[in-house]
Amino acid sequence: MRVVICGGGVIGACTAYFLRRRGVDVIVVERTDIAAAASGKAGGFLARDWCAGTPLDALARRSFALHAQLAGEIAGDWGHRPMSAYSGYVAPDGDPRRNTQSALDWLSDGVVIAQRIGTAETTAIVHPRKFTLAMMKAAIADGAELRHDRVIGLVRDADGTRAKGVEIDGGIIEADAVVIAMGPWSLLAAQWTSLPAVYGQRSPSIVYDLGPNAPADALFLESEIDGEAASIEVFPRADGSAHITALSDIAPLPLDPMAVTPDSDAIVRLQAMSERLSPLFRPEMIIAQQACFRPVTEDGLPLIGRIPQSEGLYVATGHNVWGILNAPATGEALAQLIMDGVTRDVNLAPFDPGRLQPLDPSLLRAR
Ligand SMILES: Cc1cc2nc3c(=O)[nH]c(=O)nc-3n(C[C@H](O)[C@H](O)[C@H](O)COP(=O)(O)OP(=O)(O)OC[C@H]3O[C@@H](n4cnc5c(N)ncnc54)[C@H](O)[C@@H]3O)c2cc1C
């Protein structure tokens, strides 16, 4: 059995790892580099039960447990560590609370901590790029193959009902099953098969180097910039890098993942917001100013499972803000579905691609 996985983000890498554990012949086709897109530029924050009461709950809980397990199982250090999480707000100029000392000693006066919303039992973090690379490296060490190429189409059998591989710039790769895991670029696969729409939501981020004593405190803060309210998220990681993001916007998805850039005005505003949070966020400590597109679907839930009316064709995308968290259980469940026809640990029914109308391919302009 040979499976081709289109896309080497966190979803593709985890799927490759779990398929290899089942002894499947795996080829990952990645257009640029492993973790070149959102999977390398995310925060990496993980929460066990923040999806409680939603269809994502079982996937998130299983993934949270797998993240802890994988950290002990696979070679490499991607900084998996439990952490606390807090909500609060940044007191605006002129507000008397502007001079109040923060409850967390690494934060500036006026950063008001309202509530502890995660503990070392319920919240954790990984470095997402290092995690994705480690999963791919483990899959390769176990026999998976990585090809740097661009998937441009599907190969089907004579009557068109079964996927037989993929077309790439460099030729054809034959396979018994194909998994589409190209993040927001999975949209392009709607030209080749009946797939619901997947959109890209852009977010800028700044990464600071805090050195060896980066606090294990994630922050979810309400702030104000130029008279507008904004939510800002701060994720210090075990390797000393701290990822700060806010100010998501709507922007066209570039066809080439390497062409994704942040809006320069958004970066200037995000830097100004960051500098109000802590004296640690000084301009000379900046190590990256970037943006990425997270994949979203019409109902906000991922697409994970078999694509209707196509034998041997699967999709795993649309993980939105929880792709790093939910990648391990997604990969595990897909490997079970492909090999056994059913899943054991997580019920994929809420994520069935058949629940949404397929995108009309004529809406996609010819590339
Ligand atoms: C600012 C920000 C912060 C985030 N923070 C968190 C967080 O703290 N926790 C969390 O759980 N999630 C977080 N996320 C969400 C998470 O990053 C995404 O859900 C996840 O990375 C999506 O992974 P993916 O593998 O589906 O897609 P991607 O990472 O986009 O990977 C898709 C891959 O497919 C490749 N590709 C595209 N087209 C082709 C082609 N034609 N042929 C071959 N390959 C192709 C691309 O090059 C890319 O490498 C965040 C997202 C953003 C934007």
mmCIF file of all heavy atoms in Angstrom, residues 7-12 29-33 35-39 41-45 149-151 181-185 203-205 235 243 245 257 292-295 317 319-325, ligand 1:
data_model
loop_
_atom_site.group_PDB
_atom_site.id
_atom_site.type_symbol
_atom_site.label_atom_id
_atom_site.label_comp_id
_atom_site.label_asym_id
_atom_site.label_seq_id
_atom_site.Cartn_x
_atom_site.Cartn_y
_atom_site.Cartn_z
ATOM 1 N N GLY A 7 1.487 18.026 0.659
ATOM 2 C CA GLY A 7 1.673 19.100 1.641
ATOM 3 C C GLY A 7 2.453 18.625 2.851
ATOM 4 O O GLY A 7 2.115 17.614 3.466
ATOM 5 N N GLY A 8 3.514 19.372 3.157
ATOM 6 C CA GLY A 8 4.375 19.013 4.288
ATOM 7 C C GLY A 8 4.262 20.012 5.429
ATOM 8 O O GLY A 8 5.254 20.465 5.987
ATOM 9 N N GLY A 9 3.026 20.376 5.778
ATOM 10 C CA GLY A 9 2.783 21.134 7.004
ATOM 11 C C GLY A 9 2.630 20.156 8.156
ATOM 12 O O GLY A 9 2.926 18.956 8.023
ATOM 13 N N VAL A 10 2.144 20.671 9.291
ATOM 14 C CA VAL A 10 2.047 19.812 10.475
ATOM 15 C C VAL A 10 1.067 18.655 10.255
ATOM 16 O O VAL A 10 1.270 17.546 10.757
ATOM 17 C CB VAL A 10 1.681 20.660 11.723
ATOM 18 C CG1 VAL A 10 0.225 21.146 11.677
ATOM 19 C CG2 VAL A 10 1.972 19.919 13.009
ATOM 20 N N ILE A 11 0.019 18.896 9.444
ATOM 21 C CA ILE A 11 -0.977 17.839 9.205
ATOM 22 C C ILE A 11 -0.364 16.746 8.323
ATOM 23 O O ILE A 11 -0.486 15.543 8.613
ATOM 24 C CB ILE A 11 -2.258 18.424 8.559
ATOM 25 C CG1 ILE A 11 -2.862 19.521 9.459
ATOM 26 C CG2 ILE A 11 -3.263 17.321 8.252
ATOM 27 C CD1 ILE A 11 -3.318 19.073 10.824
ATOM 28 N N GLY A 12 0.330 17.153 7.264
ATOM 29 C CA GLY A 12 0.972 16.170 6.386
ATOM 30 C C GLY A 12 2.041 15.382 7.127
ATOM 31 O O GLY A 12 2.143 14.154 6.980
ATOM 32 N N VAL A 29 4.753 15.015 -0.687
ATOM 33 C CA VAL A 29 5.172 15.972 -1.718
ATOM 34 C C VAL A 29 4.965 17.374 -1.162
ATOM 35 O O VAL A 29 3.836 17.759 -0.848
ATOM 36 C CB VAL A 29 4.356 15.800 -3.019
ATOM 37 C CG1 VAL A 29 4.903 16.735 -4.100
ATOM 38 C CG2 VAL A 29 4.384 14.355 -3.494
ATOM 39 N N GLU A 30 6.050 18.116 -1.013
ATOM 40 C CA GLU A 30 5.987 19.473 -0.458
ATOM 41 C C GLU A 30 6.557 20.444 -1.477
ATOM 42 O O GLU A 30 7.676 20.275 -1.951
ATOM 43 C CB GLU A 30 6.757 19.526 0.871
ATOM 44 C CG GLU A 30 7.071 20.926 1.380
ATOM 45 C CD GLU A 30 5.868 21.855 1.497
ATOM 46 O OE1 GLU A 30 4.833 21.445 2.044
ATOM 47 O OE2 GLU A 30 5.967 23.008 1.008
ATOM 48 N N ARG A 31 5.781 21.478 -1.751
ATOM 49 C CA ARG A 31 6.150 22.436 -2.804
ATOM 50 C C ARG A 31 7.372 23.281 -2.416
ATOM 51 O O ARG A 31 8.192 23.615 -3.251
ATOM 52 C CB ARG A 31 4.938 23.334 -3.035
ATOM 53 C CG ARG A 31 5.185 24.407 -4.025
ATOM 54 C CD ARG A 31 3.959 25.256 -4.247
ATOM 55 N NE ARG A 31 4.373 26.392 -5.062
ATOM 56 C CZ ARG A 31 3.577 27.067 -5.860
ATOM 57 N NH1 ARG A 31 2.315 26.750 -5.953
ATOM 58 N NH2 ARG A 31 4.030 28.080 -6.564
ATOM 59 N N THR A 32 7.485 23.647 -1.157
ATOM 60 C CA THR A 32 8.601 24.514 -0.745
ATOM 61 C C THR A 32 9.470 23.762 0.270
ATOM 62 O O THR A 32 10.343 23.010 -0.101
ATOM 63 C CB THR A 32 8.091 25.852 -0.191
ATOM 64 O OG1 THR A 32 7.239 25.600 0.911
ATOM 65 C CG2 THR A 32 7.327 26.624 -1.238
ATOM 66 N N ASP A 33 9.201 23.979 1.556
ATOM 67 C CA ASP A 33 9.939 23.274 2.611
ATOM 68 C C ASP A 33 8.953 22.775 3.652
ATOM 69 O O ASP A 33 7.885 23.366 3.832
ATOM 70 C CB ASP A 33 10.915 24.232 3.316
ATOM 71 C CG ASP A 33 12.148 24.464 2.476
ATOM 72 O OD1 ASP A 33 12.662 23.492 1.896
ATOM 73 O OD2 ASP A 33 12.564 25.632 2.381
ATOM 74 N N ALA A 35 7.080 22.666 6.897
ATOM 75 C CA ALA A 35 6.713 23.733 7.851
ATOM 76 C C ALA A 35 7.011 25.130 7.322
ATOM 77 O O ALA A 35 7.235 26.056 8.104
ATOM 78 C CB ALA A 35 7.400 23.527 9.204
ATOM 79 N N ALA A 36 6.985 25.302 5.983
ATOM 80 C CA ALA A 36 7.292 26.618 5.416
ATOM 81 C C ALA A 36 6.154 27.613 5.626
ATOM 82 O O ALA A 36 6.375 28.814 5.615
ATOM 83 C CB ALA A 36 7.564 26.473 3.925
ATOM 84 N N ALA A 37 4.944 27.122 5.830
ATOM 85 C CA ALA A 37 3.782 28.018 5.922
ATOM 86 C C ALA A 37 3.331 28.139 7.389
ATOM 87 O O ALA A 37 4.168 28.246 8.285
ATOM 88 C CB ALA A 37 2.685 27.504 4.999
ATOM 89 N N ALA A 38 2.030 28.096 7.644
ATOM 90 C CA ALA A 38 1.517 28.347 9.007
ATOM 91 C C ALA A 38 2.135 27.411 10.043
ATOM 92 O O ALA A 38 2.364 27.808 11.190
ATOM 93 C CB ALA A 38 -0.007 28.194 9.013
ATOM 94 N N SER A 39 2.444 26.182 9.638
ATOM 95 C CA SER A 39 2.966 25.212 10.607
ATOM 96 C C SER A 39 4.334 25.614 11.159
ATOM 97 O O SER A 39 4.745 25.120 12.202
ATOM 98 C CB SER A 39 3.041 23.826 9.977
ATOM 99 O OG SER A 39 1.756 23.450 9.534
ATOM 100 N N LYS A 41 5.038 28.996 11.481
ATOM 101 C CA LYS A 41 4.930 30.395 11.928
ATOM 102 C C LYS A 41 3.834 30.586 12.974
ATOM 103 O O LYS A 41 3.476 31.719 13.304
ATOM 104 C CB LYS A 41 4.671 31.289 10.719
ATOM 105 C CG LYS A 41 5.867 31.300 9.773
ATOM 106 C CD LYS A 41 5.594 32.054 8.504
ATOM 107 C CE LYS A 41 6.824 31.998 7.595
ATOM 108 N NZ LYS A 41 6.510 32.395 6.235
ATOM 109 N N ALA A 42 3.286 29.486 13.475
ATOM 110 C CA ALA A 42 2.212 29.556 14.476
ATOM 111 C C ALA A 42 2.805 29.797 15.860
ATOM 112 O O ALA A 42 4.025 29.844 16.036
ATOM 113 C CB ALA A 42 1.432 28.247 14.459
ATOM 114 N N GLY A 43 1.897 29.932 16.841
ATOM 115 C CA GLY A 43 2.357 30.097 18.219
ATOM 116 C C GLY A 43 2.828 28.778 18.813
ATOM 117 O O GLY A 43 3.865 28.706 19.458
ATOM 118 N N GLY A 44 2.024 27.734 18.608
ATOM 119 C CA GLY A 44 2.354 26.416 19.158
ATOM 120 C C GLY A 44 1.636 26.109 20.454
ATOM 121 O O GLY A 44 1.936 25.120 21.126
ATOM 122 N N PHE A 45 0.648 26.937 20.802
ATOM 123 C CA PHE A 45 -0.081 26.769 22.059
ATOM 124 C C PHE A 45 -1.036 25.568 21.969
ATOM 125 O O PHE A 45 -1.672 25.359 20.938
ATOM 126 C CB PHE A 45 -0.870 28.049 22.346
ATOM 127 C CG PHE A 45 -1.645 28.022 23.624
ATOM 128 C CD1 PHE A 45 -0.990 28.082 24.843
ATOM 129 C CD2 PHE A 45 -3.033 27.933 23.610
ATOM 130 C CE1 PHE A 45 -1.710 28.062 26.037
ATOM 131 C CE2 PHE A 45 -3.760 27.909 24.792
ATOM 132 C CZ PHE A 45 -3.090 27.971 26.008
ATOM 133 N N ASP A 149 8.366 19.047 -4.631
ATOM 134 C CA ASP A 149 7.744 19.245 -5.941
ATOM 135 C C ASP A 149 6.366 19.839 -5.716
ATOM 136 O O ASP A 149 5.893 19.912 -4.565
ATOM 137 C CB ASP A 149 7.640 17.909 -6.704
ATOM 138 C CG ASP A 149 7.777 18.106 -8.210
ATOM 139 O OD1 ASP A 149 7.201 19.093 -8.728
ATOM 140 O OD2 ASP A 149 8.449 17.288 -8.857
ATOM 141 N N ARG A 150 5.724 20.250 -6.785
ATOM 142 C CA ARG A 150 4.403 20.872 -6.660
ATOM 143 C C ARG A 150 3.354 19.919 -7.216
ATOM 144 O O ARG A 150 3.487 19.439 -8.358
ATOM 145 C CB ARG A 150 4.395 22.184 -7.457
ATOM 146 C CG ARG A 150 3.106 22.954 -7.353
ATOM 147 C CD ARG A 150 3.226 24.311 -8.030
ATOM 148 N NE ARG A 150 3.467 24.193 -9.452
ATOM 149 C CZ ARG A 150 2.732 24.820 -10.399
ATOM 150 N NH1 ARG A 150 1.746 25.606 -10.051
ATOM 151 N NH2 ARG A 150 3.016 24.662 -11.673
ATOM 152 N N VAL A 151 2.330 19.636 -6.418
ATOM 153 C CA VAL A 151 1.226 18.807 -6.911
ATOM 154 C C VAL A 151 0.360 19.681 -7.805
ATOM 155 O O VAL A 151 -0.064 20.773 -7.397
ATOM 156 C CB VAL A 151 0.393 18.245 -5.736
ATOM 157 C CG1 VAL A 151 -0.780 17.428 -6.260
ATOM 158 C CG2 VAL A 151 1.266 17.407 -4.807
ATOM 159 N N ALA A 181 -3.409 17.651 1.986
ATOM 160 C CA ALA A 181 -3.131 18.329 3.260
ATOM 161 C C ALA A 181 -2.303 19.574 2.963
ATOM 162 O O ALA A 181 -1.236 19.782 3.528
ATOM 163 C CB ALA A 181 -2.388 17.383 4.209
ATOM 164 N N MET A 182 -2.823 20.408 2.067
ATOM 165 C CA MET A 182 -2.054 21.564 1.594
ATOM 166 C C MET A 182 -2.495 22.845 2.297
ATOM 167 O O MET A 182 -2.376 23.941 1.735
ATOM 168 C CB MET A 182 -2.196 21.696 0.073
ATOM 169 C CG MET A 182 -1.715 20.437 -0.666
ATOM 170 S SD MET A 182 -1.579 20.625 -2.448
ATOM 171 C CE MET A 182 -3.246 20.994 -2.928
ATOM 172 N N GLY A 183 -3.041 22.717 3.521
ATOM 173 C CA GLY A 183 -3.464 23.910 4.248
ATOM 174 C C GLY A 183 -4.455 24.704 3.405
ATOM 175 O O GLY A 183 -5.305 24.125 2.721
ATOM 176 N N PRO A 184 -4.354 26.042 3.401
ATOM 177 C CA PRO A 184 -5.308 26.829 2.606
ATOM 178 C C PRO A 184 -5.181 26.583 1.109
ATOM 179 O O PRO A 184 -6.133 26.814 0.364
ATOM 180 C CB PRO A 184 -4.949 28.282 2.962
ATOM 181 C CG PRO A 184 -3.583 28.237 3.560
ATOM 182 C CD PRO A 184 -3.424 26.878 4.182
ATOM 183 N N TRP A 185 -4.024 26.073 0.666
ATOM 184 C CA TRP A 185 -3.840 25.775 -0.769
ATOM 185 C C TRP A 185 -4.601 24.512 -1.181
ATOM 186 O O TRP A 185 -4.648 24.175 -2.363
ATOM 187 C CB TRP A 185 -2.349 25.679 -1.115
ATOM 188 C CG TRP A 185 -1.691 27.017 -0.956
ATOM 189 C CD1 TRP A 185 -1.665 28.037 -1.861
ATOM 190 C CD2 TRP A 185 -0.998 27.496 0.208
ATOM 191 N NE1 TRP A 185 -1.006 29.116 -1.332
ATOM 192 C CE2 TRP A 185 -0.577 28.813 -0.069
ATOM 193 C CE3 TRP A 185 -0.693 26.949 1.465
ATOM 194 C CZ2 TRP A 185 0.130 29.585 0.859
ATOM 195 C CZ3 TRP A 185 0.013 27.710 2.379
ATOM 196 C CH2 TRP A 185 0.423 29.015 2.075
ATOM 197 N N SER A 203 -2.706 36.227 9.465
ATOM 198 C CA SER A 203 -2.368 36.860 10.749
ATOM 199 C C SER A 203 -0.882 37.216 10.743
ATOM 200 O O SER A 203 -0.048 36.385 10.395
ATOM 201 C CB SER A 203 -2.597 35.917 11.926
ATOM 202 O OG SER A 203 -3.919 35.486 11.965
ATOM 203 N N PRO A 204 -0.564 38.455 11.190
ATOM 204 C CA PRO A 204 0.852 38.805 11.338
ATOM 205 C C PRO A 204 1.364 38.315 12.686
ATOM 206 O O PRO A 204 0.575 38.095 13.614
ATOM 207 C CB PRO A 204 0.830 40.334 11.322
ATOM 208 C CG PRO A 204 -0.498 40.685 11.930
ATOM 209 C CD PRO A 204 -1.451 39.568 11.569
ATOM 210 N N SER A 205 2.650 38.150 12.811
ATOM 211 C CA SER A 205 3.222 37.818 14.125
ATOM 212 C C SER A 205 4.644 38.352 14.214
ATOM 213 O O SER A 205 5.311 38.549 13.194
ATOM 214 C CB SER A 205 3.175 36.317 14.405
ATOM 215 O OG SER A 205 3.799 35.598 13.381
ATOM 216 N N PHE A 235 2.910 33.978 23.360
ATOM 217 C CA PHE A 235 3.285 32.596 23.655
ATOM 218 C C PHE A 235 4.798 32.460 23.813
ATOM 219 O O PHE A 235 5.512 32.204 22.827
ATOM 220 C CB PHE A 235 2.811 31.669 22.527
ATOM 221 C CG PHE A 235 1.321 31.703 22.280
ATOM 222 C CD1 PHE A 235 0.828 32.043 21.029
ATOM 223 C CD2 PHE A 235 0.422 31.395 23.292
ATOM 224 C CE1 PHE A 235 -0.542 32.072 20.786
ATOM 225 C CE2 PHE A 235 -0.952 31.428 23.062
ATOM 226 C CZ PHE A 235 -1.428 31.764 21.800
ATOM 227 N N HIS A 243 6.275 34.262 20.769
ATOM 228 C CA HIS A 243 5.480 34.546 19.572
ATOM 229 C C HIS A 243 4.304 35.435 19.985
ATOM 230 O O HIS A 243 3.580 35.124 20.916
ATOM 231 C CB HIS A 243 4.965 33.198 19.039
ATOM 232 C CG HIS A 243 4.153 33.275 17.782
ATOM 233 N ND1 HIS A 243 2.814 33.607 17.765
ATOM 234 C CD2 HIS A 243 4.490 33.038 16.498
ATOM 235 C CE1 HIS A 243 2.380 33.558 16.531
ATOM 236 N NE2 HIS A 243 3.369 33.212 15.737
ATOM 237 N N THR A 245 0.936 37.553 18.442
ATOM 238 C CA THR A 245 0.086 37.748 17.264
ATOM 239 C C THR A 245 -1.179 38.521 17.628
ATOM 240 O O THR A 245 -1.659 38.448 18.761
ATOM 241 C CB THR A 245 -0.257 36.400 16.580
ATOM 242 O OG1 THR A 245 -0.983 36.656 15.375
ATOM 243 C CG2 THR A 245 -1.096 35.498 17.475
ATOM 244 N N PRO A 257 3.269 29.627 -1.647
ATOM 245 C CA PRO A 257 3.391 29.807 -0.195
ATOM 246 C C PRO A 257 4.583 30.686 0.209
ATOM 247 O O PRO A 257 4.532 31.361 1.235
ATOM 248 C CB PRO A 257 3.570 28.374 0.325
ATOM 249 C CG PRO A 257 2.951 27.503 -0.722
ATOM 250 C CD PRO A 257 3.183 28.202 -2.024
ATOM 251 N N CYS A 292 1.177 34.428 8.317
ATOM 252 C CA CYS A 292 0.799 33.144 7.729
ATOM 253 C C CYS A 292 -0.709 33.073 7.607
ATOM 254 O O CYS A 292 -1.432 33.848 8.227
ATOM 255 C CB CYS A 292 1.352 31.973 8.531
ATOM 256 S SG CYS A 292 0.840 31.902 10.240
ATOM 257 N N PHE A 293 -1.149 32.160 6.749
ATOM 258 C CA PHE A 293 -2.579 31.958 6.508
ATOM 259 C C PHE A 293 -3.008 30.663 7.176
ATOM 260 O O PHE A 293 -2.461 29.598 6.862
ATOM 261 C CB PHE A 293 -2.854 31.843 5.010
ATOM 262 C CG PHE A 293 -2.818 33.146 4.273
ATOM 263 C CD1 PHE A 293 -1.614 33.696 3.857
ATOM 264 C CD2 PHE A 293 -3.990 33.829 3.988
ATOM 265 C CE1 PHE A 293 -1.575 34.897 3.159
ATOM 266 C CE2 PHE A 293 -3.965 35.032 3.291
ATOM 267 C CZ PHE A 293 -2.751 35.570 2.883
ATOM 268 N N ARG A 294 -3.976 30.746 8.095
ATOM 269 C CA ARG A 294 -4.501 29.502 8.657
ATOM 270 C C ARG A 294 -5.689 29.047 7.807
ATOM 271 O O ARG A 294 -6.460 29.879 7.316
ATOM 272 C CB ARG A 294 -4.855 29.658 10.127
ATOM 273 C CG ARG A 294 -5.797 30.735 10.453
ATOM 274 C CD ARG A 294 -5.780 31.006 11.955
ATOM 275 N NE ARG A 294 -6.066 32.385 12.247
ATOM 276 C CZ ARG A 294 -7.284 32.878 12.374
ATOM 277 N NH1 ARG A 294 -8.330 32.105 12.217
ATOM 278 N NH2 ARG A 294 -7.456 34.157 12.643
ATOM 279 N N PRO A 295 -5.813 27.727 7.625
ATOM 280 C CA PRO A 295 -6.890 27.225 6.762
ATOM 281 C C PRO A 295 -8.227 27.162 7.496
ATOM 282 O O PRO A 295 -8.306 26.607 8.592
ATOM 283 C CB PRO A 295 -6.408 25.813 6.400
ATOM 284 C CG PRO A 295 -5.447 25.421 7.484
ATOM 285 C CD PRO A 295 -4.925 26.672 8.123
ATOM 286 N N THR A 317 -7.630 19.140 6.306
ATOM 287 C CA THR A 317 -7.276 20.568 6.324
ATOM 288 C C THR A 317 -8.366 21.356 7.051
ATOM 289 O O THR A 317 -9.302 20.776 7.596
ATOM 290 C CB THR A 317 -7.067 21.111 4.895
ATOM 291 O OG1 THR A 317 -6.509 22.433 4.992
ATOM 292 C CG2 THR A 317 -8.361 21.183 4.102
ATOM 293 N N HIS A 319 -7.964 23.337 9.784
ATOM 294 C CA HIS A 319 -7.830 23.245 11.243
ATOM 295 C C HIS A 319 -7.805 24.603 11.938
ATOM 296 O O HIS A 319 -7.679 24.663 13.161
ATOM 297 C CB HIS A 319 -6.582 22.436 11.612
ATOM 298 C CG HIS A 319 -6.706 20.976 11.306
ATOM 299 N ND1 HIS A 319 -6.695 20.481 10.029
ATOM 300 C CD2 HIS A 319 -6.855 19.901 12.117
ATOM 301 C CE1 HIS A 319 -6.836 19.161 10.066
ATOM 302 N NE2 HIS A 319 -6.933 18.785 11.314
ATOM 303 N N ASN A 320 -7.860 25.669 11.167
ATOM 304 C CA ASN A 320 -8.018 27.011 11.721
ATOM 305 C C ASN A 320 -6.981 27.315 12.814
ATOM 306 O O ASN A 320 -5.810 27.071 12.617
ATOM 307 C CB ASN A 320 -9.466 27.153 12.224
ATOM 308 C CG ASN A 320 -9.906 28.592 12.339
ATOM 309 O OD1 ASN A 320 -9.102 29.513 12.255
ATOM 310 N ND2 ASN A 320 -11.179 28.810 12.555
ATOM 311 N N VAL A 321 -7.433 27.783 13.991
ATOM 312 C CA VAL A 321 -6.469 28.200 15.030
ATOM 313 C C VAL A 321 -5.909 27.033 15.834
ATOM 314 O O VAL A 321 -5.070 27.230 16.708
ATOM 315 C CB VAL A 321 -7.102 29.210 16.019
ATOM 316 C CG1 VAL A 321 -7.460 30.500 15.321
ATOM 317 C CG2 VAL A 321 -8.329 28.619 16.707
ATOM 318 N N TRP A 322 -6.360 25.814 15.558
ATOM 319 C CA TRP A 322 -5.932 24.673 16.367
ATOM 320 C C TRP A 322 -5.204 23.593 15.558
ATOM 321 O O TRP A 322 -5.242 22.415 15.909
ATOM 322 C CB TRP A 322 -7.138 24.042 17.088
ATOM 323 C CG TRP A 322 -7.706 24.870 18.200
ATOM 324 C CD1 TRP A 322 -8.989 25.332 18.292
ATOM 325 C CD2 TRP A 322 -7.052 25.316 19.405
ATOM 326 N NE1 TRP A 322 -9.155 26.037 19.457
ATOM 327 C CE2 TRP A 322 -7.990 26.046 20.164
ATOM 328 C CE3 TRP A 322 -5.746 25.180 19.915
ATOM 329 C CZ2 TRP A 322 -7.674 26.638 21.391
ATOM 330 C CZ3 TRP A 322 -5.436 25.770 21.134
ATOM 331 C CH2 TRP A 322 -6.391 26.485 21.866
ATOM 332 N N GLY A 323 -4.527 23.973 14.500
ATOM 333 C CA GLY A 323 -3.866 22.964 13.663
ATOM 334 C C GLY A 323 -2.673 22.304 14.330
ATOM 335 O O GLY A 323 -2.430 21.107 14.138
ATOM 336 N N ILE A 324 -1.909 23.071 15.107
ATOM 337 C CA ILE A 324 -0.745 22.475 15.777
ATOM 338 C C ILE A 324 -1.250 21.524 16.864
ATOM 339 O O ILE A 324 -0.773 20.389 16.988
ATOM 340 C CB ILE A 324 0.173 23.570 16.385
ATOM 341 C CG1 ILE A 324 0.542 24.627 15.325
ATOM 342 C CG2 ILE A 324 1.403 22.924 17.022
ATOM 343 C CD1 ILE A 324 1.295 24.104 14.129
ATOM 344 N N LEU A 325 -2.229 21.981 17.628
ATOM 345 C CA LEU A 325 -2.810 21.108 18.648
ATOM 346 C C LEU A 325 -3.349 19.830 18.019
ATOM 347 O O LEU A 325 -3.005 18.720 18.448
ATOM 348 C CB LEU A 325 -3.958 21.852 19.372
ATOM 349 C CG LEU A 325 -4.856 20.974 20.260
ATOM 350 C CD1 LEU A 325 -4.076 20.406 21.439
ATOM 351 C CD2 LEU A 325 -6.077 21.752 20.750
HETATM 352 C C1 LIG B 1 -0.372 33.501 13.566
HETATM 353 C C2 LIG B 1 -0.877 32.085 13.783
HETATM 354 C C3 LIG B 1 -0.765 31.505 15.038
HETATM 355 C C4 LIG B 1 -1.229 30.204 15.255
HETATM 356 N N1 LIG B 1 -1.091 29.665 16.498
HETATM 357 C C5 LIG B 1 -1.518 28.401 16.733
HETATM 358 C C6 LIG B 1 -1.375 27.835 18.029
HETATM 359 O O1 LIG B 1 -0.852 28.482 18.948
HETATM 360 N N2 LIG B 1 -1.850 26.559 18.235
HETATM 361 C C7 LIG B 1 -2.437 25.837 17.229
HETATM 362 O O2 LIG B 1 -2.858 24.698 17.489
HETATM 363 N N3 LIG B 1 -2.563 26.356 15.976
HETATM 364 C C8 LIG B 1 -2.134 27.616 15.706
HETATM 365 N N4 LIG B 1 -2.285 28.159 14.465
HETATM 366 C C9 LIG B 1 -2.951 27.381 13.404
HETATM 367 C C10 LIG B 1 -1.968 26.430 12.697
HETATM 368 O O3 LIG B 1 -0.783 27.117 12.376
HETATM 369 C C11 LIG B 1 -2.587 25.851 11.420
HETATM 370 O O4 LIG B 1 -3.884 25.367 11.661
HETATM 371 C C12 LIG B 1 -1.730 24.696 10.875
HETATM 372 O O5 LIG B 1 -0.375 25.068 10.803
HETATM 373 C C13 LIG B 1 -2.208 24.255 9.509
HETATM 374 O O6 LIG B 1 -1.348 23.209 9.096
HETATM 375 P P1 LIG B 1 -1.496 22.537 7.664
HETATM 376 O O7 LIG B 1 -0.505 21.437 7.596
HETATM 377 O O8 LIG B 1 -2.933 22.231 7.418
HETATM 378 O O9 LIG B 1 -1.164 23.712 6.620
HETATM 379 P P2 LIG B 1 0.183 24.503 6.279
HETATM 380 O O10 LIG B 1 1.060 24.696 7.426
HETATM 381 O O11 LIG B 1 -0.276 25.715 5.515
HETATM 382 O O12 LIG B 1 0.933 23.509 5.288
HETATM 383 C C14 LIG B 1 0.499 23.290 3.962
HETATM 384 C C15 LIG B 1 1.729 22.898 3.145
HETATM 385 O O13 LIG B 1 1.298 22.552 1.822
HETATM 386 C C16 LIG B 1 2.276 23.014 0.917
HETATM 387 N N5 LIG B 1 1.689 23.131 -0.413
HETATM 388 C C17 LIG B 1 0.834 24.093 -0.845
HETATM 389 N N6 LIG B 1 0.502 23.871 -2.123
HETATM 390 C C18 LIG B 1 1.169 22.744 -2.511
HETATM 391 C C19 LIG B 1 1.236 22.002 -3.726
HETATM 392 N N7 LIG B 1 0.519 22.371 -4.835
HETATM 393 N N8 LIG B 1 2.020 20.899 -3.766
HETATM 394 C C20 LIG B 1 2.730 20.488 -2.677
HETATM 395 N N9 LIG B 1 2.702 21.163 -1.506
HETATM 396 C C21 LIG B 1 1.923 22.270 -1.424
HETATM 397 C C22 LIG B 1 2.726 24.353 1.493
HETATM 398 O O14 LIG B 1 4.005 24.733 1.005
HETATM 399 C C23 LIG B 1 2.722 24.053 3.006
HETATM 400 O O15 LIG B 1 3.995 23.642 3.452
HETATM 401 C C24 LIG B 1 -1.831 29.464 14.201
HETATM 402 C C25 LIG B 1 -1.934 30.041 12.935
HETATM 403 C C26 LIG B 1 -1.476 31.340 12.706
HETATM 404 C C27 LIG B 1 -1.601 31.929 11.332
#
